[in-house]
Amino acid sequence: MNKPQKICVIGGSGYVGLITGLGLSEIGHEVVNVDIDRARVDQLNAGKSPIYESGIDVVLRRNLHNGRLRFSTDLQSSVKNSQVVFVTVGTPSLKNGQIDLSQIIEVANQISSGLNEYKIIVIKSTIPVGTIELIKSILNEKAQQDCFDIVSNPEFLREGNALKDFFFPDRIVLGGDSDKAFSILRYIYKPIINREVSIKGIQNISKETDPVPVIQTDIASAQIIKYASNAFLATRISFINEISGICEQVNADIKEVANGMGYDSRIGHSYLEAGLGFGGPCLEKDLRALINTVDQDKYQTDLLQAVLDKNDRQVASVVNKVEKLLDTNLYNRTIAVLGLTFKPETNDIRNSLAIRVTNELHKRGAVVQSYDPVVNNEILSVDPNLKPCDSAYSAAQGADVLLILTGWKDFLHLDYKQIYSNMSNPAIVDSRNLLVQSDMIELGFKYVGMGASR
Ligand code: UDX
């Protein structure tokens, strides 16, 4: 690294902001992460991450210690003292499917007062196409002409793999219209682009040796690259779930089918795990936003809508499996739910399909005893439909069905003999195809997975 850049990350204690700040300071820049949440800012300055993510604490403490990273609530002076401002604030969905832009508009207003000299504003938050024009107009109200450039630099971070994805990305996308801004961002990302990053404890699994591809394009195309990538991943998941349903009809094994498909180099193995479907804060939200990008009277996005509809049906299909296995309705039956996060290796329950399943079980009169290896019981106790337990064994105590909703590896190593003897009716519905059917049947369980997986 030649000369570190002074960088400010707004929304810096949120998921994307925190990873961005950690990553940029780790590769040598001077970073201040700004957030309005004082409690989180204090916690982070004390070296404790509010987010569960592999490797995060080590990188956080190292960069706090070497002075390249700090956390602050003072947006104005942080912006003034920075050359590049990354915007990573949340853009949640509203009930009508539109995106709530209030945080981003507020931030744009505040940044505009801090534009004392030329700065690059980098938008990492996923915002609908057209919104960057809105940000530009807000900034232009107070800023002098030519005082800033805007670049769209979408993130492709998977929770649980976020630091790896930051340091070893498949590509970096830059959308804008300023060569000066492009070259400064290329400079900022240089150690990553040139694959010079080596971090103890964070393994690079990429076999690529060529520089990371940087796609320089216009703003709208950069934004659509992000939306279309997430929509494509969601489509693969709904597709494999559709095939999984067909497998159940003809007694073919979806795991074998997905594996056989994946060896085709045009298809590949990833995002072909059939199961409960896609949850989490991004895939569904981005898919809805992409659908809302166009006026449906002028252009119908039927395929994308079908991907969403298929995913919505997965919840009912899993609950129906529980009911079918019990051969009765769920009223007063006890269901032990294992796993509540939207996927393993994260503590995030935002838009978790597991929570939607427990709500549906509750609606049908079931008693839910739940366990998750990382979600704090205090968080769960706010949901009256969940009875949080301290272990998988206590969740299974007296249960009529054990229902696996998140594919935590921990659940592979449970003592299923003990679970068998604790349940009042030893039956398993495995919505993530985590366990081996024959092993469970040998122990005496009734077992149902997804897509006749064996
Ligand atoms: C996603 C995108 O992958 C990432 O690039 C983007 O920046 C943010 O959104 P994330 O939300 O962390 O990342 O989750 P991801 O790992 O993509 O999984 C999403 C959901 O799909 C999870 O609920 C997961 O369990 C499910 N899934 C994933 C499947 O059901 N089958 C699969 O084969 C893969």
PDB file of all heavy atoms in Angstrom, residues 13 57 82 128 152 168 190 219 222 251 321 329 333 337 364 382 386 437:
ATOM      1  N   SER A  13     -21.950   0.679  11.751  1.00  0.00           N
ATOM      2  CA  SER A  13     -22.067  -0.431  12.691  1.00  0.00           C
ATOM      3  C   SER A  13     -23.087  -1.451  12.197  1.00  0.00           C
ATOM      4  O   SER A  13     -23.374  -2.437  12.864  1.00  0.00           O
ATOM      5  CB  SER A  13     -22.404   0.059  14.103  1.00  0.00           C
ATOM      6  OG  SER A  13     -23.744   0.442  14.165  1.00  0.00           O
ATOM      7  N   ASP A  57     -13.825 -10.616  15.096  1.00  0.00           N
ATOM      8  CA  ASP A  57     -13.261 -10.004  16.303  1.00  0.00           C
ATOM      9  C   ASP A  57     -11.766  -9.741  16.161  1.00  0.00           C
ATOM     10  O   ASP A  57     -11.270  -8.703  16.594  1.00  0.00           O
ATOM     11  CB  ASP A  57     -13.534 -10.877  17.533  1.00  0.00           C
ATOM     12  CG  ASP A  57     -14.984 -10.747  17.969  1.00  0.00           C
ATOM     13  OD1 ASP A  57     -15.531  -9.640  17.817  1.00  0.00           O
ATOM     14  OD2 ASP A  57     -15.561 -11.739  18.422  1.00  0.00           O
ATOM     15  N   SER A  82     -12.629  13.294   5.396  1.00  0.00           N
ATOM     16  CA  SER A  82     -12.406  12.112   4.539  1.00  0.00           C
ATOM     17  C   SER A  82     -12.351  12.505   3.067  1.00  0.00           C
ATOM     18  O   SER A  82     -12.962  13.494   2.652  1.00  0.00           O
ATOM     19  CB  SER A  82     -13.545  11.106   4.716  1.00  0.00           C
ATOM     20  OG  SER A  82     -13.624  10.718   6.055  1.00  0.00           O
ATOM     21  N   PRO A 128     -32.900   1.463  -5.382  1.00  0.00           N
ATOM     22  CA  PRO A 128     -33.495   1.301  -6.715  1.00  0.00           C
ATOM     23  C   PRO A 128     -32.840   2.208  -7.758  1.00  0.00           C
ATOM     24  O   PRO A 128     -32.362   3.295  -7.446  1.00  0.00           O
ATOM     25  CB  PRO A 128     -34.951   1.708  -6.495  1.00  0.00           C
ATOM     26  CG  PRO A 128     -35.193   1.533  -5.044  1.00  0.00           C
ATOM     27  CD  PRO A 128     -33.899   1.792  -4.362  1.00  0.00           C
ATOM     28  N   SER A 152     -21.542   3.974  -7.815  1.00  0.00           N
ATOM     29  CA  SER A 152     -22.287   2.839  -7.257  1.00  0.00           C
ATOM     30  C   SER A 152     -21.325   1.646  -7.184  1.00  0.00           C
ATOM     31  O   SER A 152     -20.716   1.277  -8.185  1.00  0.00           O
ATOM     32  CB  SER A 152     -23.474   2.507  -8.171  1.00  0.00           C
ATOM     33  OG  SER A 152     -23.961   1.226  -7.860  1.00  0.00           O
ATOM     34  N   PHE A 168     -11.647 -11.477  -0.961  1.00  0.00           N
ATOM     35  CA  PHE A 168     -11.406 -12.340  -2.129  1.00  0.00           C
ATOM     36  C   PHE A 168     -12.658 -12.370  -3.011  1.00  0.00           C
ATOM     37  O   PHE A 168     -13.280 -13.421  -3.203  1.00  0.00           O
ATOM     38  CB  PHE A 168     -11.046 -13.761  -1.670  1.00  0.00           C
ATOM     39  CG  PHE A 168      -9.998 -13.780  -0.582  1.00  0.00           C
ATOM     40  CD1 PHE A 168     -10.310 -14.185   0.715  1.00  0.00           C
ATOM     41  CD2 PHE A 168      -8.704 -13.346  -0.849  1.00  0.00           C
ATOM     42  CE1 PHE A 168      -9.353 -14.182   1.721  1.00  0.00           C
ATOM     43  CE2 PHE A 168      -7.737 -13.334   0.162  1.00  0.00           C
ATOM     44  CZ  PHE A 168      -8.061 -13.752   1.444  1.00  0.00           C
ATOM     45  N   LYS A 190      -6.770  -1.664  -4.578  1.00  0.00           N
ATOM     46  CA  LYS A 190      -5.616  -2.279  -5.259  1.00  0.00           C
ATOM     47  C   LYS A 190      -5.114  -3.586  -4.625  1.00  0.00           C
ATOM     48  O   LYS A 190      -4.930  -4.589  -5.335  1.00  0.00           O
ATOM     49  CB  LYS A 190      -4.467  -1.258  -5.320  1.00  0.00           C
ATOM     50  CG  LYS A 190      -3.443  -1.560  -6.373  1.00  0.00           C
ATOM     51  CD  LYS A 190      -2.545  -0.346  -6.542  1.00  0.00           C
ATOM     52  CE  LYS A 190      -1.101  -0.791  -6.664  1.00  0.00           C
ATOM     53  NZ  LYS A 190      -0.160   0.236  -6.259  1.00  0.00           N
ATOM     54  N   ILE A 219     -23.986   3.942 -13.944  1.00  0.00           N
ATOM     55  CA  ILE A 219     -24.603   3.703 -12.632  1.00  0.00           C
ATOM     56  C   ILE A 219     -25.764   2.704 -12.705  1.00  0.00           C
ATOM     57  O   ILE A 219     -25.842   1.759 -11.913  1.00  0.00           O
ATOM     58  CB  ILE A 219     -25.046   5.048 -12.007  1.00  0.00           C
ATOM     59  CG1 ILE A 219     -23.802   5.784 -11.506  1.00  0.00           C
ATOM     60  CG2 ILE A 219     -26.062   4.844 -10.889  1.00  0.00           C
ATOM     61  CD1 ILE A 219     -24.053   7.065 -10.765  1.00  0.00           C
ATOM     62  N   ALA A 222     -24.590  -0.863 -13.124  1.00  0.00           N
ATOM     63  CA  ALA A 222     -23.973  -1.393 -11.892  1.00  0.00           C
ATOM     64  C   ALA A 222     -25.067  -1.833 -10.922  1.00  0.00           C
ATOM     65  O   ALA A 222     -24.977  -2.910 -10.297  1.00  0.00           O
ATOM     66  CB  ALA A 222     -23.099  -0.319 -11.245  1.00  0.00           C
ATOM     67  N   ASN A 251     -40.301 -40.314  -6.791  1.00  0.00           N
ATOM     68  CA  ASN A 251     -39.337 -40.983  -5.924  1.00  0.00           C
ATOM     69  C   ASN A 251     -37.899 -40.945  -6.456  1.00  0.00           C
ATOM     70  O   ASN A 251     -37.159 -41.913  -6.400  1.00  0.00           O
ATOM     71  CB  ASN A 251     -39.772 -42.427  -5.632  1.00  0.00           C
ATOM     72  CG  ASN A 251     -39.103 -42.939  -4.360  1.00  0.00           C
ATOM     73  OD1 ASN A 251     -38.728 -42.138  -3.493  1.00  0.00           O
ATOM     74  ND2 ASN A 251     -38.921 -44.241  -4.270  1.00  0.00           N
ATOM     75  N   LYS A 321     -45.831 -31.098   5.654  1.00  0.00           N
ATOM     76  CA  LYS A 321     -45.091 -32.349   5.852  1.00  0.00           C
ATOM     77  C   LYS A 321     -45.179 -32.786   7.317  1.00  0.00           C
ATOM     78  O   LYS A 321     -45.283 -33.971   7.623  1.00  0.00           O
ATOM     79  CB  LYS A 321     -43.614 -32.163   5.487  1.00  0.00           C
ATOM     80  CG  LYS A 321     -43.307 -32.342   4.018  1.00  0.00           C
ATOM     81  CD  LYS A 321     -41.828 -32.068   3.769  1.00  0.00           C
ATOM     82  CE  LYS A 321     -41.526 -31.849   2.301  1.00  0.00           C
ATOM     83  NZ  LYS A 321     -41.445 -33.059   1.512  1.00  0.00           N
ATOM     84  N   ASN A 329     -54.130 -33.161  12.718  1.00  0.00           N
ATOM     85  CA  ASN A 329     -53.812 -31.728  12.705  1.00  0.00           C
ATOM     86  C   ASN A 329     -52.854 -31.403  13.858  1.00  0.00           C
ATOM     87  O   ASN A 329     -52.554 -32.259  14.699  1.00  0.00           O
ATOM     88  CB  ASN A 329     -55.085 -30.868  12.734  1.00  0.00           C
ATOM     89  CG  ASN A 329     -55.828 -31.009  14.039  1.00  0.00           C
ATOM     90  OD1 ASN A 329     -55.226 -31.035  15.105  1.00  0.00           O
ATOM     91  ND2 ASN A 329     -57.147 -31.135  13.946  1.00  0.00           N
ATOM     92  N   ARG A 333     -50.115 -30.253  19.528  1.00  0.00           N
ATOM     93  CA  ARG A 333     -48.970 -31.139  19.343  1.00  0.00           C
ATOM     94  C   ARG A 333     -47.696 -30.326  19.577  1.00  0.00           C
ATOM     95  O   ARG A 333     -47.647 -29.131  19.275  1.00  0.00           O
ATOM     96  CB  ARG A 333     -48.930 -31.747  17.923  1.00  0.00           C
ATOM     97  CG  ARG A 333     -50.218 -32.439  17.514  1.00  0.00           C
ATOM     98  CD  ARG A 333     -50.710 -33.485  18.513  1.00  0.00           C
ATOM     99  NE  ARG A 333     -49.851 -34.642  18.641  1.00  0.00           N
ATOM    100  CZ  ARG A 333     -50.001 -35.773  17.974  1.00  0.00           C
ATOM    101  NH1 ARG A 333     -51.017 -35.921  17.117  1.00  0.00           N
ATOM    102  NH2 ARG A 333     -49.177 -36.786  18.159  1.00  0.00           N
ATOM    103  N   VAL A 337     -38.363 -27.276  17.278  1.00  0.00           N
ATOM    104  CA  VAL A 337     -37.772 -26.617  16.115  1.00  0.00           C
ATOM    105  C   VAL A 337     -36.273 -26.430  16.347  1.00  0.00           C
ATOM    106  O   VAL A 337     -35.864 -25.845  17.350  1.00  0.00           O
ATOM    107  CB  VAL A 337     -38.474 -25.255  15.888  1.00  0.00           C
ATOM    108  CG1 VAL A 337     -37.620 -24.340  15.025  1.00  0.00           C
ATOM    109  CG2 VAL A 337     -39.835 -25.470  15.248  1.00  0.00           C
ATOM    110  N   ARG A 364     -51.629 -22.991  13.534  1.00  0.00           N
ATOM    111  CA  ARG A 364     -52.366 -24.257  13.439  1.00  0.00           C
ATOM    112  C   ARG A 364     -52.489 -24.941  14.807  1.00  0.00           C
ATOM    113  O   ARG A 364     -52.863 -26.101  14.900  1.00  0.00           O
ATOM    114  CB  ARG A 364     -51.681 -25.198  12.443  1.00  0.00           C
ATOM    115  CG  ARG A 364     -51.657 -24.621  11.033  1.00  0.00           C
ATOM    116  CD  ARG A 364     -51.283 -25.669  10.006  1.00  0.00           C
ATOM    117  NE  ARG A 364     -50.904 -25.065   8.745  1.00  0.00           N
ATOM    118  CZ  ARG A 364     -50.581 -25.742   7.652  1.00  0.00           C
ATOM    119  NH1 ARG A 364     -50.606 -27.066   7.667  1.00  0.00           N
ATOM    120  NH2 ARG A 364     -50.245 -25.141   6.536  1.00  0.00           N
ATOM    121  N   VAL A 382     -39.073 -12.329  22.745  1.00  0.00           N
ATOM    122  CA  VAL A 382     -40.035 -11.299  22.335  1.00  0.00           C
ATOM    123  C   VAL A 382     -41.114 -11.880  21.431  1.00  0.00           C
ATOM    124  O   VAL A 382     -42.159 -11.289  21.227  1.00  0.00           O
ATOM    125  CB  VAL A 382     -39.370 -10.075  21.634  1.00  0.00           C
ATOM    126  CG1 VAL A 382     -38.412  -9.361  22.541  1.00  0.00           C
ATOM    127  CG2 VAL A 382     -38.696 -10.489  20.331  1.00  0.00           C
ATOM    128  N   LEU A 386     -42.595 -18.607  20.226  1.00  0.00           N
ATOM    129  CA  LEU A 386     -41.422 -19.458  20.383  1.00  0.00           C
ATOM    130  C   LEU A 386     -41.172 -19.715  21.851  1.00  0.00           C
ATOM    131  O   LEU A 386     -41.200 -18.783  22.648  1.00  0.00           O
ATOM    132  CB  LEU A 386     -40.184 -18.736  19.833  1.00  0.00           C
ATOM    133  CG  LEU A 386     -40.199 -18.352  18.365  1.00  0.00           C
ATOM    134  CD1 LEU A 386     -39.065 -17.407  18.063  1.00  0.00           C
ATOM    135  CD2 LEU A 386     -40.083 -19.606  17.524  1.00  0.00           C
ATOM    136  N   GLN A 437     -31.009 -40.022   5.903  1.00  0.00           N
ATOM    137  CA  GLN A 437     -32.280 -40.693   6.189  1.00  0.00           C
ATOM    138  C   GLN A 437     -32.066 -42.089   6.802  1.00  0.00           C
ATOM    139  O   GLN A 437     -32.671 -42.432   7.825  1.00  0.00           O
ATOM    140  CB  GLN A 437     -33.097 -40.800   4.906  1.00  0.00           C
ATOM    141  CG  GLN A 437     -34.460 -41.420   5.113  1.00  0.00           C
ATOM    142  CD  GLN A 437     -35.152 -41.704   3.782  1.00  0.00           C
ATOM    143  OE1 GLN A 437     -34.524 -42.168   2.839  1.00  0.00           O
ATOM    144  NE2 GLN A 437     -36.431 -41.427   3.729  1.00  0.00           N
TER     145      GLN A 437
END
